[in-house]
Amino acid sequence: MAATAAQTAPGPGVGQLIQVIFALLLVLACIVGGAWLMRRYALVPGAGNPHLRVVSGVMVGTKERVVIVEVDGTWLVVGVTHQQVNLLHTLDKPADVETTPATPAFAQWLQAAMAKRKTSL
């Protein structure tokens, strides 16, 4: 009896199935990681409250930050730790400060990151 082409063609092997599952998990991890980074570093302009914006921030420890927050023309210097947020100082908004957000638009950030990558290669 002669075997037909359909009977002799190998089906997807276990190795191919593992490879597809691994690729799917990698894509999902990239999506979740990208979303976390965008939230963490405020790369989504206008995603927050329009009456409240973070002007600047600096890490002073592994989980501690000092952040300047603008609320209706007043700057609040805030200490942010793992467990609490403390008001450190209140300032009037300086007149010479530009009104654009501290973080650039995503397109500008992406172009800068791609330019850095090209120069490092």
Side-chain angles (χ1 to χ4, degrees):
M1 288 173 71
T4 62
Q7 291 174 338
T8 59
V14 175
Q16 289 175 335
L17 184 61
I18 291 173
Q19 196 173 24
V20 168
I21 290 173
F22 179 73
L24 178 63
L25 290 175
L26 183 65
V27 168
L28 290 174
C30 287
I31 291 171
V32 170
W36 178 82
L37 281 173
M38 291 186 74
R39 257 187 90 202
R40 173 78 170 103
Y41 295 106
L43 296 176
V44 182
N49 189 341
H51 303 288
L52 180 74
R53 76 177 181 109
V54 176
V55 176
S56 180
V58 64
M59 297 293 290
V60 292
T62 56
K63 294 184 180 180
E64 298 84 19
R65 294 180 64 138
V66 174
V67 180
I68 299 175
V69 179
E70 181 181 347
V71 180
D72 293 329
T74 303
W75 283 11
L76 305 175
V77 181
V78 178
V80 180
T81 66
H82 176 72
Q83 298 175 341
Q84 63 187 6
V85 177
N86 292 322
L87 178 64
L88 303 176
H89 192 66
T90 303
L91 303 167
D92 290 330
K93 180 181 176 181
D96 60 344
V97 175
E98 59 186 55
T99 59
T100 59
T103 57
F106 179 73
Q108 293 171 345
W109 176 82
L110 184 60
Q111 286 177 344
M114 290 173 59
K116 254 191 232 178
R117 185 173 180 209
K118 285 182 182 179
T119 59
S120 67
L121 293 177

